[in-house]
Amino acid sequence: MSELKDRVKAATGGADDQQPEQAAVTDLAVTDTALQWLQSRASYFTDALPRHVDRAHFMSVALAVMPSLERCTHASVHQAFLACARFGLEPDGRQAAIIPYGDTATFQPMYQGLIELMYRHPRVDSVHFGWIRQRDQWDYTPTEPSPRDFFHKPRIDLTDEERGPVILAYAFAWIDGRRSQVIILNRSQAEQIRNKYSKAYKKAERNNAKDSPWHTDFDAMWAKSCVLRLRKVVPESTELAELVQMDDDLDDGASAPPVIRGTVIARDSQEPSEARADAPSWPRAAEPGSGAPEGGDEE
């Protein structure tokens, strides 16, 4: 009998070999539930998207983010995706990010998202952001006429490590065929902006938490500060002004997880404690205009 059991075990690969397959089935079930929840609210997000944004692609990117938001309240996830859709920014970690902060999903514009909104202005031909490393060739002479006042030639024959540490961030735009002023920001200037304006950084320092965006991803905030200065010399759209105002108003000093790359924007939508308790279940939601209450759980 024992030999028969051994042969059966060998033929099936043993009980231990089945564990990875079982885990994959569980993950698939979670993803499928999240997909159902996201699809049930798709109209809210796609209706808010600008016409130039591909709706199917936006929803596929949103689905990829869902596993990281499993413990967040449904209302905060809904509001975070809606904010992305409203500004036409994909939650891909480059244009914008949705980061779980406790049980709240937080929408965060990134510097690439700010550049995207600048580029949408009809007078703006292009927007460029770059890093200058220690061994790169560059020069900046403000007294020279544009575009002879600035040039940057990165050492593409070297690795980033061989090029040396980043010493400057810069950004400029081409507007109506002419290049704008070049915005250059060194590390010390970025630190001054952080120390003067960031409530999140100040709170993290007071609490000795070291978990604000400036602590966890200094370079991303350095780049964002540079791009924010550029907006002062380029034509500004209404949506860019609204996004920057939102970013400023809601930098309330909340701490942030290590992967954060922008300022936390927390929405004020709240749910009853019962809804928060079973948030990972991702219940179905009513479609707009259906007459059913939004976010209502099915019995």
Side-chain angles (χ1 to χ4, degrees):
M1 180 65 70
S2 61
E3 292 182 1
L4 177 60
K5 289 181 178 179
D6 291 341
R7 290 198 299 271
V8 171
K9 184 176 180 180
T12 59
D16 293 341
D17 293 340
Q18 303 305 311
Q19 292 304 316
E21 182 178 350
Q22 292 173 359
V25 171
T26 302
D27 292 342
L28 179 61
V30 171
T31 302
D32 186 57
T33 308
L35 176 60
Q36 291 178 10
W37 183 90
L38 194 62
Q39 288 177 335
S40 71
R41 297 187 176 221
S43 295
Y44 291 101
F45 309 137
T46 57
D47 288 351
L49 285 170
R51 292 183 178 180
H52 72 277
V53 179
D54 184 85
R55 280 137 176 80
H57 181 68
F58 179 90
M59 295 304 294
S60 67
V61 174
L63 178 61
V65 178
M66 290 293 286
S68 66
L69 307 177
E70 182 181 352
R71 298 187 180 278
C72 296
T73 62
H74 303 147
S76 69
V77 175
H78 177 91
Q79 293 294 342
F81 281 131
L82 198 60
C84 283
R86 175 191 172 193
F87 293 106
L89 301 178
E90 297 178 0
D92 56 2
R94 293 184 293 274
Q95 294 185 356
I98 299 180
I99 304 296
Y101 174 56
D103 65 351
T104 302
T106 59
F107 161 70
Q108 301 167 54
M110 319 272 259
Y111 76 88
Q112 294 96 325
L114 296 173
I115 289 176
E116 170 66 21
L117 264 61
M118 287 182 186
Y119 179 69
R120 292 178 192 170
H121 195 284
R123 292 183 55 203
V124 177
D125 302 320
S126 64
V127 182
H128 181 78
F129 171 83
W131 295 107
I132 297 177
R133 292 181 174 270
Q134 194 172 53
R135 297 187 64 186
D136 288 351
Q137 299 177 29
W138 67 279
D139 183 67
Y140 178 55
T141 309
T143 55
E144 288 288 327
S146 171
R148 296 203 305 267
D149 57 340
F150 175 81
F151 88 90
H152 173 219
K153 186 177 181 180
R155 291 290 306 275
I156 60 175
D157 57 319
L158 304 176
T159 65
D160 286 348
E161 291 75 15
E162 292 171 337
R163 287 170 59 196
V166 171
I167 58 173
L168 295 172
Y170 69 92
F172 59 82
W174 285 87
I175 306 164
D176 296 331
R178 304 181 68 178
R179 205 210 63 204
S180 73
Q181 174 187 349
V182 179
I183 303 300
I184 298 179
L185 200 67
N186 62 35
R187 186 180 186 90
S188 176
Q189 291 170 321
E191 290 172 347
Q192 291 173 17
I193 292 172
R194 175 199 66 189
N195 297 341
K196 185 175 182 179
Y197 296 108
S198 177
K199 296 177 182 178
Y201 173 77
K202 294 175 182 177
K203 181 176 180 179
E205 285 289 296
R206 287 196 305 270
N207 297 338
N208 198 30
K210 311 296 183 185
D211 57 358
S212 77
W214 282 101
H215 288 99
T216 60
D217 205 336
F218 181 90
D219 285 357
M221 296 302 291
W222 182 358
K224 187 174 181 179
S225 299
C226 182
V227 173
L228 283 171
R229 283 194 171 184
L230 178 65
R231 66 176 270 265
K232 297 178 181 179
V233 300
V234 299
E236 186 172 67
S237 64
T238 301
E239 63 178 353
L240 177 59
E242 290 177 354
L243 180 61
V244 172
Q245 187 62 54
M246 179 189 296
D247 201 9
D248 289 341
D249 290 345
L250 297 175
D251 177 20
D252 59 1
S255 58
V259 293
I260 232 165
R261 289 179 173 269
T263 303
V264 172
I265 296 179
R267 293 290 184 165
D268 57 1
S269 297
Q270 300 294 326
E271 292 178 310
S273 58
E274 293 83 3
R276 288 196 298 268
D278 52 7
S281 62
W282 299 115
R284 294 179 60 191
E287 287 288 339
S290 68
E294 179 186 344
D297 293 352
E298 294 186 342
E299 296 294 338

